[in-house]
Amino acid sequence: MLNNLRIVEIGAGMAVQVCGLLLGELGADVLKVEPVGGDAGRGSASFANWNRGKRSLALDLDTQDGLRALDERLAGADVLLHQFTPARAKALGLDDAVLAERFPRLVVCGITGSPCKHPDAERSDDELLVAARLGELYENDGYRGGPVVHRYPTGHWSAAHLAAGGIPTRLTMRLQTGKGGAAHTSILQGMLAGMTMLWVRNSRGPMTATRVYDGTPRTPRFQLHLCKGGEWLQIMDPTQRFDYGLLPSMWDALADGIDIATAEGLEQAFARETVDTWLSQLREHDVACEPAYPLGEMLRHDDARANGYLVDVDDPHLGRVTEPNTPFHANDPLPQGRPAPRLGEGGDRDWAPAAPVTGNVGGEPLAHPLSGARVVDFGMFLAGPLGPSLMGDLGADVIKIEALSGDRLRHMHQFFQAAARSKRSLALDLTKPEAKPILERLVRWAEIVHHNMRFKGADKLGLGEENLHRLNPDLGFAYVSAYGQRGNRGNWPGFDTIFSALAGIEFENAGEGNPPITMRAGPMDMLTAHSCFVAASALLYLKRAGLPGRTLHTSMLGIVALVQGEQVLLPDGTLSETYHVTSDQTGFSPYHRIYECEDGQWVAVAALKPERQEALRSILGGDEAGFIDAAKARTAADLLAALEVAGIPADIVNYDDAMHRFFDDPLTRELGLATALEQPTYGLVEQTGIFWDMGDTPISITRPCPDVGQHTDEILRQLEFTDAEIADFREKKVVG
């Protein structure tokens, strides 16, 4: 799909490598620039997964020869993707101003720890340290009070997807202006994008009393049950109205005098049967449920295999292994499943773009990155609709279609505010025949259409792929499903909790040896929506480049497979090793964790290199078992100063009342990391803000989530319906 694009990728960080993978497996030609001795991760499962299909070129960028060789590649490239801090980029001659002068059509995406204009821009991009600085550890649930370290790297996964959608956005801009430019993001912005459902304040309405954490342990276990044999079952019944008495095994429990109407009795009942028994009985009633897997177990999942979300690869280091695929299906063949390159493999091949698209040289600058883009969102809940919302944040005109009674997510106010921001609302009853002319005009108006309905329901409403492309052959169709298009589960229901269970996150975030915990922030919903943003942004670029209409499909099951990327299934059928959170949820090792200090504050440490580990031993003592007591004997300021002098990446843990501190900090407003918009129902809505830096093109979020049908008349008039026709639609309850 993206096979005219040439991307130069520099960096060993997860976010940069995953971004390159996502675009490479959509067809871009990705050249990975490595140090002369090779990337330090070579031979690992993550390197094998995140570098599939790329070329490799070994260069020493600290030499003039290395920089000259890089310049030769940049002259033929469309995109430079890197992880250099602003100071390092400037030292290499790769800062935005120099690149704009030397390579005016080059799109540049830097993924740093903090945004490039932030005071912390030169600090570490380590996930734990960024989380400590931001205050994200305040939001993590766990088995003890205080800041809790989770295993799932929200910032890196989200930043990779923000970049992979931001790059096609900038390329679309290039088609209009003839110029490249910045499309930067950061790990911190990735975290904010992943926390948008948690960090929100309203001045009125049903959400004014924002929760403030009191420091006690939080161990949520929502519809998560221990079953016979020690396995765990995750159910998601959002309304909590399903009658478990309908299940045959519950009849037996009732007959034995167990009161399943109580929480204790229900747990007793679930413990009597195996996970497989409960899965079978619950699925008979269309109840969403899955087992809670350990991390990596998805690499054996039958429907992940059937959908192509797993690929067998002959890796040059690991042999014949099973790896997680990217989650995309398309109506064009995608070049998925190629192995990671050997060092230097493919780097000397021809690098001239195959068919460059010139764009409008000297075109007018854009008011916003996606000014003029037209998107119609028929989605509900979160996993799909948040993707079009990100396009709206970038300036696209996004129309949200919802039932006259509203999106079913509206009662979950902060979730809805995140998923519906930057949209206009048209309340439309698609089940009525009289809605057909409105649907047809919407589809013909749109450049991109999105939905995340089940297949059968979508076809009944006229939203199947065939009908959409019949109405608008040049349309880009971005579709999100729960379990993918193939296999046995295409029409099964899906929610974040059950996919977080499959992903292994419920076990991993709980810490080694601890029972699983239900995840509160919807990580698989969020990342699936971010993958939808990647798909929709790529489709818009292809449409603007003059290519015929295409479909790009992603799914929650595909995302669950993707996040297994630190592991592979080895030739002997075992899983490769990876790291885990300690049982006390303070980190991953004595060298990569948070330490409590004498004054009650915490310090996060990331001593990942041997010389830094030696330096940490010189500060906390030679015995790793004594590190905790040694840290507890010092104040946080004293310890942090010693770590800074020793060159060990470290940060104070921002913890107390983190959300309010974030919104009240003038710097977050100045940098656009927080927004404040008036909304009819909620008053002043404060949310996490802008997730990219597009350099010379401003990003301004101007629309909070809409009320139901708030823009119905405005949109219908835009579609050239008369006031009389609109009145007739309303009288017949077609619109609201």
Side-chain angles (χ1 to χ4, degrees), residues 318-471:
L318 302 176
R320 184 72 171 174
V321 294
T322 298
E323 299 178 4
N325 202 359
T326 49
F328 301 118
H329 293 154
N331 52 1
D332 282 348
L334 298 177
Q336 298 171 326
R338 301 162 294 168
R342 300 177 189 277
L343 182 61
E345 183 180 358
D348 57 351
R349 296 206 309 268
D350 175 54
W351 185 243
V357 182
T358 59
N360 302 319
V361 177
E364 291 295 317
L366 298 169
H368 302 287
L370 289 180
S371 291
R374 305 184 303 278
V375 180
V376 179
D377 175 19
F378 291 95
M380 283 194 299
F381 296 109
L382 186 71
L386 186 66
S389 175
L390 294 175
M391 299 187 80
D393 287 352
L394 288 165
D397 184 359
V398 182
I399 296 176
K400 176 177 179 58
I401 309 301
E402 53 185 327
L404 272 59
S405 57
D407 188 323
R408 289 161 61 191
L409 189 65
R410 278 185 175 270
H411 73 283
M412 301 176 71
H413 303 284
Q414 64 216 67
F415 286 43
F416 180 77
Q417 289 175 41
R421 185 172 74 181
S422 299
K423 299 179 185 179
R424 297 187 289 163
S425 171
L426 167 58
L428 177 64
D429 187 348
L430 287 169
T431 65
K432 294 195 171 181
E434 295 90 342
K436 185 176 180 181
I438 301 175
L439 172 64
E440 292 181 349
R441 291 196 198 182
L442 281 166
V443 173
R444 291 185 177 120
W445 171 85
E447 294 179 281
I448 303 295
V449 162
H450 158 267
H451 73 72
N452 59 331
M453 302 178 192
R454 298 200 223 180
F455 303 131
K456 292 179 182 177
D459 287 340
K460 287 179 182 178
L461 296 176
L463 296 175
E465 178 183 353
E466 184 177 347
N467 189 54
L468 290 174
H469 279 136
R470 178 186 66 81
L471 293 171

Side-chain angles (χ1 to χ4, degrees), residues 88 97 99-100 116 202 239 261 328 379 431 452 522 541-542 680 692 730:
R88 176 63 173 156
L99 289 173
C116 55
N202 297 166
T239 64
F328 301 118
T431 65
N452 59 331
Y541 168 69
L542 293 170
W692 307 266
R730 185 161 280 115

Side-chain angles (χ1 to χ4, degrees), residues 21-42:
L21 171 71
L22 294 171
L23 295 175
E25 300 225 319
L26 288 175
D29 190 351
V30 181
L31 175 66
K32 181 180 182 67
V33 175
E34 303 182 61
V36 171
D39 188 299
R42 277 195 165 271

Side-chain angles (χ1 to χ4, degrees), residues 8 51 185 187 216 223 260 269 325 331 709:
V8 174
N51 292 286
T185 189
I187 307 308
T216 58
Q223 298 182 345
I260 66 171
N325 202 359
N331 52 1

Side-chain angles (χ1 to χ4, degrees), residues 639-657:
L639 177 58
L640 194 60
L643 294 167
E644 292 275 359
V645 169
I648 300 170
D651 276 284
I652 198 77
V653 176
N654 251 330
Y655 181 64
D656 293 332
D657 202 15

